[in-house]
Amino acid sequence: MGKQKKARKYATVKRMINLRDQRIKQTERAKSNVKKKDDPSAIKEREVPQHPSCLFFQYNSQLGPPYYILVDTNFINFSIKAKLDLVQSMMDCLYAKCIPCITDCVMAEIEKLGQKYRVALRIAKDPRFERLPCTHKGTYADDCLVQRVTQHKCYIVATVDRDLKRRIRKIPGVPIMYISNHRYNIERMPDDYGAPRF
């Protein structure tokens, strides 16, 4: 007699012990989800985010010359494409002293772009630019800039990226610098600061 063929069982799963089993230690056992009844007389505490003291509605009182401008990676690349000198064009736009700031994440992004963007890297290493160290993990510049601007509302964000602009518009009191018609323009800046928009 030949060997009987055994049908293979598909999707067989190793049997596991239930987490509420008596054989498992008391500490490792799954907690039974018994809901506690809320006491109606107890005082409810809510976590309300503190409103920044520098804002008077949408007006940011921390903004003022010299302006600190957080520069994004693509802003430098588009400035080179439009043949604009970063610091000079910023001063022409705002009629005041401007200090471009570059975070470690933006610098890492430019370095990752490789040999093709070596001019952008040379511009980013300009001694007039202020370097801001990053303490978080990863090198995603957009999250870094949004987080920094949310904490400290003393910056203007220079970017051409639509998604980043959309995210920054949700944060009150943060102006956005962008490039249009071969010149820098500013959005959401109080009227008594800087140049008029064209």
Side-chain angles (χ1 to χ4, degrees), residues 20 31-39:
R20 292 205 183 88
K31 275 95 178 168
S32 58
N33 45 356
V34 178
K35 282 190 175 179
K36 291 179 184 175
K37 285 190 175 178
D38 293 331
D39 185 19

Side-chain angles (χ1 to χ4, degrees), residues 160-172:
V160 193
D161 186 9
R162 279 183 187 168
D163 293 332
L164 182 57
K165 274 192 199 174
R166 202 173 291 130
R167 284 174 71 181
I168 288 166
R169 281 188 194 114
K170 291 175 186 170
I171 306 164

Side-chain angles (χ1 to χ4, degrees), residues 114-123:
Q115 195 67 18
K116 194 180 172 186
Y117 295 93
R118 62 185 179 278
V119 180
L121 186 62
R122 191 176 293 172
I123 288 170

Side-chain angles (χ1 to χ4, degrees), residues 45-61:
E45 288 182 21
R46 279 195 311 169
E47 190 70 33
V48 180
Q50 192 179 357
H51 192 71
S53 59
C54 65
L55 289 181
F56 179 75
F57 295 107
Q58 293 280 329
Y59 182 86
N60 189 351
S61 59

Side-chain angles (χ1 to χ4, degrees), residues 18-31:
N18 192 347
L19 289 173
R20 292 205 183 88
D21 202 293
Q22 297 298 320
R23 292 170 285 182
I24 295 177
K25 287 179 195 170
Q26 189 74 35
T27 52
E28 292 170 8
R29 215 175 284 168
K31 275 95 178 168

